[in-house]
């Protein structure tokens, strides 16, 4: 009998359609909620994405999963509520989204309570009307370079971990192990089977400092194990994370996905070739676009890839290529009341940290030892956020200003990565129509060194901000096109953030995980 290896994951849901993702341990026919799909194969692993269309708007429907007719979900003896598909209602002006980033497996108890598991436990006891409509995971779903003890022991059964890449993962097969480890927790598995989930990767999904600079890329390219690592990372990301970000219409137009569906054999070679194209930079562009958008009634979620799409070759330095940035600008406008921009890396960092990153970018351009020292500082101190891609920072700032003046009630940038949480409000010299906020929530389950908690608090200091601003000007960095002030935080600990929208009103609430359940901080108003 074929078994369910991972999932089900409820991914794309709108008013009339949904997709359900599964991994099985063999080829089979997957049926769920009245739809069906045949599994496809990649390197001996089997997956299916069940696409459901023609659903009734505003309806909640429990569902089961069967493999070749045999019931595999819900699991026998489970006391968790039934998994459900809740389609959006076109007339509903209320919307709730929960987001966060950076989640290590729960084996690492020293990191404190897992905020996602704690949130799942709480949801099982709440009325369905209180559940969020969407979950957004903003990077570091798996840690390919910081594996658990159990994974290190498993790796040692496959190869000699005294040789590079050591206890980091080396290829696609090892990536599949990471995803099973990350998503098999019973509460989290139920949560992801019930809440429509969107995702984007960050560096640890591949390797710390991934695509920080061309110097980083040149150095890592010399490692003999890197080609298999990056192929495994991008192939597994396409399967486990990216496919579910797409709706039925996008899937129907996705040439690669249709090729995979049309194949009766193993698609490993096809996907490896795709991964090579996706990683390669040609004429200032990457071979694929990972950014995407989703509409939830009055809300547009525009998710920006701020890792794989970086342009670094031949002296260029852009967070995103020209063609993709133009796509982002096009889809940042539309008939919606609230724009949520998801990017794993914060756009607005603590003021001092932002100035230092822009200063460092300039310093890295210096010839000789000074430039090499600046590059070492960049990689050691992780100075590679939006402010370290200053032209891209300014272009995003200009886009957000234009959008804020075009009619929406709020514009919010949602981010993670930095292992603490805060809310900052942007102020442009000529004002904005809609309030603009940076909402940062990280980690879901990780930690931050004590010395960094001091640094992040000092990063909002007005005296230090004035000092680094003057230093920035002397270094030849142009003044930032906006100012921003902290309105909540910094908060430390495992957490999730909720955005509640009701008509043109919106507010954000941070929930810090305690031993038993999340504990909320006071909500921050996002509307005028």
């Amino acid at each position: 009998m074929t078994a369910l290896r991972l999932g089900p994951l409820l991914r794309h849901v709108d008013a009339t359609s949904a997709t359900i993702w599964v991994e099985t341990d063999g080829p089979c026919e997957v049926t769920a909620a009245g739809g069906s799909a045949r599994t496809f194969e990649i390197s001996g692993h089997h997956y299916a994405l069940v696409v459901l269309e023609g659903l009734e708007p505003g309806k909640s429907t429990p569902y089961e999963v069967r493999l070749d007719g045999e019931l595999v979900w819900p699991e026998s003896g489970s006391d968790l509520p039934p998994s459900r598909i809740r389609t959006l209602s076109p007339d509903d002006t209320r919307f709730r989204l929960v987001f966060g980033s950076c989640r290590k497996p729960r084996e690492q108890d020293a990191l404190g309570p897992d905020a996602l598991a704690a949130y799942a436990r709480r949801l099982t006891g709440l009325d369905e009307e209180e559940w969020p409509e969407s979950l957004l995971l903003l990077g570091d779903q798996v840690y390919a370079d910081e594996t658990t003890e159990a994974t290190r022991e498993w790796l040692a059964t496959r190869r000699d971990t005294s040789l590079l890449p050591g206890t980091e993962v080396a290829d696609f097969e090892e990536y599949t192990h990471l995803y099973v480890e990350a998503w098999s927790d019973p509460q989290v598995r139920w949560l992801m089977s019930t809440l429509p989930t969107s995702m984007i990767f960050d560096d640890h999904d591949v390797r710390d400092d991934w695509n920080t600079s061309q110097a980083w890329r040149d150095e890592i390219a010399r490692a003999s194990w890197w080609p298999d690592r990056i192929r495994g990372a991008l192939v597994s990301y396409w399967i486990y994370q990216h496919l579910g970000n797409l709706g039925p219409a996008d899937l129907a137009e996705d040439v690669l996905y249709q090729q995979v569906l049309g194949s009766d054999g193993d698609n490993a070679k096809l996907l490896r070739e795709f991964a090579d194209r996706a990683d390669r930079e040609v004429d200032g562009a990457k071979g694929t676009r990972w950014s995407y958008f989703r509409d939830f009634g009055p809300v547009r979620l525009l998710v920006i890839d701020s890792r794989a799409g970086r342009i670094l070759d031949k002296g260029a330095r852009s967070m995103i290529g020209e063609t993709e940035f133009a796509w982002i600008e096009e889809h940042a406008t539309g008939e919606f009341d609230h724009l949520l921009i998801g990017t794993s890396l914060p756009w607005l960092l603590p003021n001092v940290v932002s100035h230092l990153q822009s200063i460092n970018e300039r310093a890295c351009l210096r010839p000789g030892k000074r430039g090499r020292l600046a590059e070492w500082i960049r990689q050691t101190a992780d100075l590679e956020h939006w402010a370290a891609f200053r032209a891209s920072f300014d272009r995003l700032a200009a886009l957000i200003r234009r959008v804020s003046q075009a009619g929406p009630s709020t514009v919010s940038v949602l981010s993670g990565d930095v292992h603490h949480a805060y809310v900052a409000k942007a102020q442009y010299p000529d004002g904005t129509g809609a309030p603009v906020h940076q909402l940062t929530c990280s980690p879901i389950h990780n930690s931050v060194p004590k010395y960094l908690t001091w640094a992040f608090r000092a990063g909002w200091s007005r005296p230090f901000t004035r000092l680094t601003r003057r230093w920035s000007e002397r270094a030849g960095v142009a003044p930032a096109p906006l100012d921003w002030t902290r309105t909540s935080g910094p908060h430390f600990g495992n957490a999730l953030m909720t955005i509640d929208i009701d008509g043109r009103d919106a507010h954000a609430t941070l929930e810090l995980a305690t031993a038993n359940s999340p504990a909320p901080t006071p909500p921050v108003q996002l509307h005028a």
Side-chain angles (χ1 to χ4, degrees), residues 18 51 145 203-204 211 302 317 333 415 424 490:
V51 178
D145 53 348
D203 56 344
H204 289 286
N211 285 346
L302 177 59
R317 186 165 173 81
T333 59
S415 305

Side-chain angles (χ1 to χ4, degrees), residues 18-22 28-40 47-53 55 63-69 85 251 257 261:
T19 63
I20 299 171
W21 179 97
V22 298
C28 63
E29 187 77 16
V30 181
T31 58
S36 65
R38 189 73 191 172
T39 56
F40 56 87
Y47 308 91
L49 191 64
V50 179
V51 178
L52 306 169
E53 297 186 89
L55 303 179
Y63 73 91
E64 300 174 336
V65 177
R66 296 177 182 270
L67 306 183
D68 289 335
I85 299 171
L251 290 168
Y257 181 63
L261 289 186

Side-chain angles (χ1 to χ4, degrees), residues 207-372:
R207 198 170 200 255
D208 188 29
D209 296 337
W210 176 36
N211 285 346
T212 290
S213 62
Q214 186 60 41
W216 185 93
R217 285 179 65 89
D218 291 343
E219 181 179 357
I220 201 71
R222 290 191 285 270
S224 61
W225 50 268
W226 179 247
D228 283 342
R229 168 69 159 273
I230 190 63
R231 288 187 195 112
L234 294 179
V235 170
S236 63
Y237 177 80
W238 186 84
I239 299 165
Y240 288 85
Q241 299 194 46
H242 179 68
L243 281 181
N245 292 329
L246 307 179
D250 292 324
L251 290 168
E253 295 177 359
D254 191 294
V255 174
L256 178 62
Y257 181 63
Q258 295 304 318
Q259 286 179 308
V260 168
L261 289 186
S263 170
D264 293 328
D266 194 326
N267 292 277
K269 182 176 184 294
L270 179 66
L271 266 293
R272 286 196 296 268
E273 292 172 349
F274 161 76
D276 288 343
R277 294 194 304 272
D279 185 51
R280 191 178 301 127
E281 186 176 328
V282 179
D283 296 331
K286 287 295 183 67
T288 195
R289 171 174 54 79
W290 302 107
S291 301
Y292 62 94
F293 77 95
R294 296 181 65 174
D295 287 331
F296 302 93
V299 178
R300 170 157 294 180
L301 172 65
L302 177 59
V303 180
I304 299 174
D305 162 30
S306 51
R307 277 292 176 186
R310 296 180 178 190
I311 304 302
L312 303 166
D313 194 19
K314 298 178 182 177
R317 186 165 173 81
S318 176
M319 189 68 84
I320 306 156
E322 175 62 34
T323 301
E324 186 164 346
F325 224 132
W327 181 92
I328 290 165
E329 290 169 329
E330 176 187 354
H331 291 86
T333 59
E335 298 297 323
F336 47 79
D337 290 332
H338 303 269
L339 176 62
L340 307 178
I341 299 175
T343 169
S344 62
L345 302 174
W347 170 52
L348 302 179
L349 290 162
N351 307 89
V352 171
V353 180
S354 184
H355 290 315
L356 290 175
Q357 296 219 12
S358 296
I359 292 168
N360 175 261
E361 183 185 33
R362 295 278 296 187
C364 288
L365 296 174
R366 294 176 177 176
K369 292 182 179 179
R370 292 187 298 175
R372 290 194 295 272

Side-chain angles (χ1 to χ4, degrees), residues 468-488:
T468 52
R469 183 183 290 118
R470 288 197 294 269
W471 182 8
S472 176
E473 292 170 354
R474 292 184 61 184
V477 178
L482 76 161
D483 290 319
W484 58 97
T485 55
R486 174 190 54 176
T487 60
S488 180

Side-chain angles (χ1 to χ4, degrees), residues 101-163:
S101 79
C102 309
R103 178 176 176 266
K104 284 193 170 182
R106 290 180 66 192
E107 176 196 71
Q108 302 183 5
D109 294 332
L111 300 176
D114 181 339
L116 199 62
Y119 189 81
R121 285 195 297 271
R122 195 184 75 184
L123 244 61
T124 61
L126 292 180
D127 188 89
E128 191 179 327
E129 292 184 356
E130 299 182 61
W131 293 359
E133 280 71 37
S134 184
L135 171 66
L136 174 62
L137 300 176
L138 286 168
D140 294 346
Q141 272 70 261
V142 295
Y143 281 74
D145 53 348
E146 297 177 9
T147 53
T148 64
E149 181 178 351
T151 292
R152 292 193 293 270
E153 292 174 356
W154 177 79
L155 292 174
T157 68
R158 299 192 76 236
R159 55 181 170 83
D160 185 352
T161 55
S162 67
L163 304 176

